[in-house]
Structures are given as structure tokens and as C-alpha cells.
Amino acid sequence: MTVPPTDSFERKIDYLRLSVTDRCNLRCTYCMPEDGVPKLDHSEILSYEEVLTLARIVVGMGISKIRITGGEPLVRRDIITLCSKISNIPGIKSLSLTTNGVLLPNFAEALFSAGIRRINVSLDTLKPEKFAAITRYDRFSDVWEGIAAAHRAGISPIKLNAVMLRGVNDDEIEDLARLTLSHPYHVRFIEHMPFNAGQGEGRERKFVAAPEILERLKKVAPLSICDEEQSNGPAVHFRFRDAPGKIGIISPVSNHFCPSCNRLRVTAEGKLRTCLFSKEETDLRQALRDNLPIEAICRIIRNAIASKPEKHELSSPVFRKCISRQMFSIGG
Ligand code: SAM
Ligand code: SF4
């Protein structure tokens, strides 16, 4: 087994979020403008052959956990074939997917067969009309059915991600959390991050900080911390007494998790990013298209890892600062 690379701050880097498209079949107000964005030309996006080569290289380096994301990964043609090929790379320990869930009813079983065992579904609300207002599409029932289909297919855990916005869906904090009392899902509350899309001027007012979410959850039912989960990723985990599901709170803004960050991101056009909020990117597409030897590409990746920033700069005055790219184009 290859030992994962470490960065200059002794963080073990073993996780890659791999975006396979910048396109999406929803237009969430906090992520994309209503009329979409200029699409990348097909030639600008990594081909599946290039994605697979890259996946083999990183797994060979010890980066053994890969999450497929986007844009909406399920809109890319032949996504199942790609997942299947990645999950068969010797040395890969985990292949997961982040999706808006709209196409999950049709894809859940095939995803499981292709080796996807863990899935994150974005679900900001349990109300169909509000879902349509947030995502600009009336597809709540597809997503809800997709989540059930993923459960039936045997995918576990199923994590439901809700980005919290005051005056939009913060009235549902308790109801979303109560889902964990009846379903074995992980409901995760995510602080809104200051990207360019959507919330504009109202961003500061709409921000709901993690401590406020936690205080409200404590009033729903006895809540205890889940120690067994604490080392996995950026969420702090809790559970209501006897609940089959868990609750996660992800606070990239109010309490950033940089000291334990183990991840890299690759955008759909093959740009390697070592920090979600950094402007620095390394062009891996060019390296792949120049047919550089594997060792040379490994060296490029190792150099990028060596300059991974210690932490992001989203501290005050956080809300006046915007990040040039948006989540759909970075790979959330
Ligand atoms: N389309 C897929 C989906 O929605 O799950 C995958 C890509 S999406 C960019 C990944 C995640 O980023 C989603 O859970 C979405 O809610 C989250 N996201 C997008 N913009 C965000 C923002 N400004 N702050 C916090 N989370 C954001
Ligand atoms: Fe699409 Fe996901 Fe962005 Fe919503 S959050 S617009 S589903 S990429």
C-alpha cells in the first residue's frame, strides 16, 4: 500500500474531489445564475480517458479516496462506465458521489453496481414549493424518490446536505434534523460560503452560523456527539438519542477545518486546486495532453501539495470578499 503524500504542514493528503462536468440540470440560487453560465467547450473538459489516467496516477500516489462531483455529475454521458472503471483501480479504498439527486431514481442501482458505496445528496428543504424556489426547478419528488432508491440499492451512508440561508430555509433546521429520527440518513447542515453567485448583497444577513444551528438542534431532542465519526472529514457529528440517522454540522466559515484538511480538488477542465478558497490552480490537463511521463505528472501534483496553503483567509471581513470561481465550477 502506498503511503499518501503529506503537505508542508504534515497533513496527510489522501482524498480527491474530482469534478467531471461544469453543467447542471438545476440552478440553485446560491450556486448558479438563473440563465446559467457560459459552458466549457467539450474539448476543454477532461475526456474520460484523461480522467481515468489521472485517477490511476493519484491512486498510485496513495490518494485512495475519490469523490465524483460537478456541476451535476449524473448529467455527464456514460458516468456509470467511468465510475466502474475508477472503482476498479487497484488501491482505491473509496469511491463516492455528490449529486443533486434529480436523476438518482434511474441511476441508483447502476451506481451501486459501478462501485459507488457512499453518496451525498443536496437537499436544502423538505417543501416542494421551496425546493422549486431554491433550485429554480420543480424536481423535489424526483430527489426524494432518488434518495429512497439509493437506500434500496444498498448505498450507505446517504448524506443529505443542506446549505442554510436565513429567511430561506432556516425555518426547517428542526424538521431536517428530525429526518434522522425516522431514516438512517446523515443530515448535514452547511454554512453558506461567500462565492459570487446568488445571494449578493443579502449574503451577510442570510448567513446562519453553525453555533446557532447547534443551539436549535439541542432543543429538538437529547443530542450527543458521535465520537466514532469525528476523524472523518470536516463535519462535527451528533445523534439524537436512539436515532438511526446522524447529524453533521459543517462550518467552513465560522470555524474552519483547515488543520485537518486532507483534500485536493480537480476541476472539470483539469485544474488542480489544493484549497477550495485559493486562487492558485495547477494545469493538469496540459500535462496529460503533452503526454508527460507518469513520474513527471506525480512531481507536478507533489509540488502543488507542497504549496497547499495552511488555511483559507475567510476570516473577517468575510462577507465582503468573494471567490472568483463558484462551487459548480470548482467541484463542490
Ligand atoms: N450538483 C451536485 C450537488 O448539488 O450536490 C454537486 C455539485 S454542488 C456544487 C456540491 C455542493 O456544494 C452542494 O451540496 C451545494 O449545496 C454546495 N454549495 C454550492 N454553493 C455553495 C455555497 N455558496 N456555500 C455552501 N455550499 C455550496
Ligand atoms: Fe447544480 Fe449542485 Fe450548483 Fe445546485 S449546487 S446549481 S445542483 S451544481
Side-chain angles (χ1 to χ4, degrees):
M1 200 183 66
T2 314
V3 178
T6 49
D7 70 3
S8 318
F9 304 96
E10 299 300 317
R11 292 173 295 196
K12 184 175 76 169
I13 308 299
D14 62 357
Y15 179 34
L16 171 66
R17 296 172 82 105
L18 188 53
S19 173
V20 293
T21 183
D22 61 327
R23 304 189 180 192
C24 188
N25 47 358
L26 297 181
R27 293 281 179 277
C28 302
T29 51
Y30 53 77
C31 181
M32 270 204 195
E34 183 162 14
D35 39 5
V37 285
K39 291 181 179 122
L40 290 171
D41 188 77
H42 198 65
S43 63
E44 296 176 79
I45 291 182
L46 291 187
S47 68
Y48 277 173
E49 205 178 317
E50 290 164 341
V51 170
L52 203 54
T53 304
L54 188 56
R56 289 197 182 106
I57 290 174
V58 300
V59 173
M61 293 172 69
I63 297 164
S64 56
K65 296 183 249 176
I66 296 182
R67 173 172 295 278
I68 306 289
T69 182
E72 173 47 40
L74 297 185
V75 301
R76 183 143 179 201
R77 203 179 319 149
D78 283 338
I79 187 71
I80 299 294
T81 311
L82 179 72
C83 290
S84 174
K85 288 189 172 159
I86 296 182
S87 69
N88 280 314
I89 296 174
I92 190 149
K93 286 192 197 139
S94 162
L95 179 65
S96 55
L97 178 93
T98 297
T99 174
N100 60 33
V102 168
L103 299 176
L104 257 187
N106 295 333
F107 277 86
E109 274 187 31
L111 285 168
F112 184 84
S113 304
I116 297 282
R117 292 291 176 271
R118 313 166 67 85
I119 206 166
N120 288 7
V121 184
S122 299
L123 187 70
D124 300 323
T125 172
L126 296 171
K127 299 179 183 167
E129 325 77 63
K130 196 185 285 181
F131 182 94
I134 293 175
T135 67
R136 302 187 175 108
Y137 283 86
D138 185 10
R139 304 298 296 268
F140 176 83
S141 56
D142 297 302
V143 178
W144 191 245
E145 166 51 24
I147 294 165
H151 182 53
R152 283 195 302 276
I155 296 176
S156 173
I158 295 173
K159 299 186 181 178
L160 308 182
N161 289 341
V163 175
M164 280 297 120
L165 289 168
R166 194 178 308 286
V168 176
N169 61 348
D170 64 320
D171 58 323
E172 292 188 68
I173 290 176
E174 290 81 359
D175 286 344
L176 283 160
R178 279 191 199 100
L179 265 187
T180 66
L181 291 166
S182 51
H183 297 76
Y185 307 145
H186 297 201
V187 172
R188 311 195 317 160
F189 296 95
I190 303 178
E191 285 178 344
H192 177 248
M193 293 181 269
F195 292 97
N196 273 331
Q199 305 314 315
E201 292 309 305
R203 187 185 289 127
E204 194 166 346
R205 197 169 23 86
K206 287 182 178 160
F207 181 75
V208 185
E212 176 182 335
I213 298 172
L214 183 56
E215 282 315 305
R216 285 178 53 177
L217 296 178
K218 283 180 185 163
K219 293 183 189 144
V220 175
L223 193 65
S224 54
I225 202 151
C226 297
D227 291 331
E228 76 273 14
E229 291 277 351
Q230 294 313 335
S231 58
N232 295 331
V236 183
H237 296 87
F238 305 89
R239 193 199 278 277
F240 289 136
R241 190 183 298 151
D242 299 330
K246 293 178 192 164
I247 295 173
I249 301 185
I250 304 182
S251 49
V253 179
S254 69
N255 176 22
H256 62 71
F257 36 78
C258 306
S260 60
C261 183
N262 63 344
R263 60 191 55 185
L264 302 176
R265 288 182 158 82
V266 171
T267 67
E269 73 266 49
K271 298 281 197 313
L272 173 66
R273 296 176 65 96
T274 56
C275 174
L276 181 56
F277 301 106
S278 154
K279 290 200 179 95
E280 299 300 318
E281 296 184 336
T282 304
D283 188 1
L284 296 179
R285 183 182 69 194
Q286 198 55 47
L288 289 162
R289 293 190 180 170
D290 287 345
N291 277 320
L292 293 190
I294 289 178
E295 195 32 60
I297 298 181
C298 288
R299 211 166 26 246
I300 292 171
I301 297 173
R302 267 193 225 101
N303 287 343
I305 291 174
S307 52
K308 182 173 163 77
E310 182 180 14
K311 56 183 165 57
H312 67 63
E313 301 298 337
L314 277 185
S315 50
S316 188
V318 51
F319 300 105
R320 264 162 269 146
K321 214 167 168 183
C322 275
I323 289 95
S324 52
R325 272 187 188 260
Q326 282 150 205
M327 276 297 251
F328 71 87
S329 84
I330 298 175

